[in-house]
Amino acid sequence: MKNIFIEYPKCSTCKKAKKWLEENNIDFLERNIITETPTIKELTEWIEKSNQNIKKWFNTSGLKYKELKLKDKLETMTDKEKIQLLASDGMLIKRPILISDKGIYIGFKEDMWKEVL
């Protein structure tokens, strides 16, 4: 399976992660989180496989997250509602996302990526 790198091209962390992948000769398919927002089906599968709490998938520092006052609202939402919300707007999703045959990783943590890639 080829690695899938899901990014927002203007995001500085995404740029750093992409540069790291390229410098380490790691093959990947690029996907823009805005023009190709993950679907409910994809997010459901990825969240389950990532072994991360669904809250970790939210871009808590993003303007949209703050604008919608999600910090308080998430507490009362079901997982299904949270996934529907994430699928409705790529800017709500933490990024970058790396999907590989070794796992699914959200956010760029160089040490972890070195270990698994």
Side-chain angles (χ1 to χ4, degrees), residues 62-79:
L63 293 175
K64 190 79 168 189
Y65 181 89
K66 292 172 183 170
E67 198 177 280
L68 296 173
K69 297 178 173 57
L70 292 178
K71 184 180 180 186
D72 303 321
K73 292 180 184 175
L74 288 179
E75 296 301 320
T76 59
M77 293 172 74
T78 66
D79 283 355

Side-chain angles (χ1 to χ4, degrees), residues 36-69:
E36 293 180 77
T37 302
T39 65
I40 290 171
K41 185 177 184 231
E42 287 174 324
L43 286 165
T44 302
E45 182 183 318
W46 297 342
I47 289 166
E48 187 178 309
K49 285 183 179 177
S50 75
N51 292 319
Q52 292 285 333
N53 184 303
I54 195 167
K55 284 185 187 176
K56 297 271 186 197
W57 284 77
F58 280 87
N59 178 15
T60 57
S61 60
L63 293 175
K64 190 79 168 189
Y65 181 89
K66 292 172 183 170
E67 198 177 280
L68 296 173
K69 297 178 173 57

Side-chain angles (χ1 to χ4, degrees), residues 88-99:
S88 74
D89 189 335
M91 293 303 279
L92 290 173
I93 303 171
K94 185 172 178 77
R95 54 197 182 262
I97 301 170
L98 180 66
I99 300 166

Side-chain angles (χ1 to χ4, degrees), residues 1-4 27 46 49 98-104:
M1 174 184 141
K2 194 169 194 174
N3 297 306
I4 300 170
D27 208 19
W46 297 342
K49 285 183 179 177
L98 180 66
I99 300 166
S100 78
D101 54 358
K102 295 181 181 146
I104 297 173

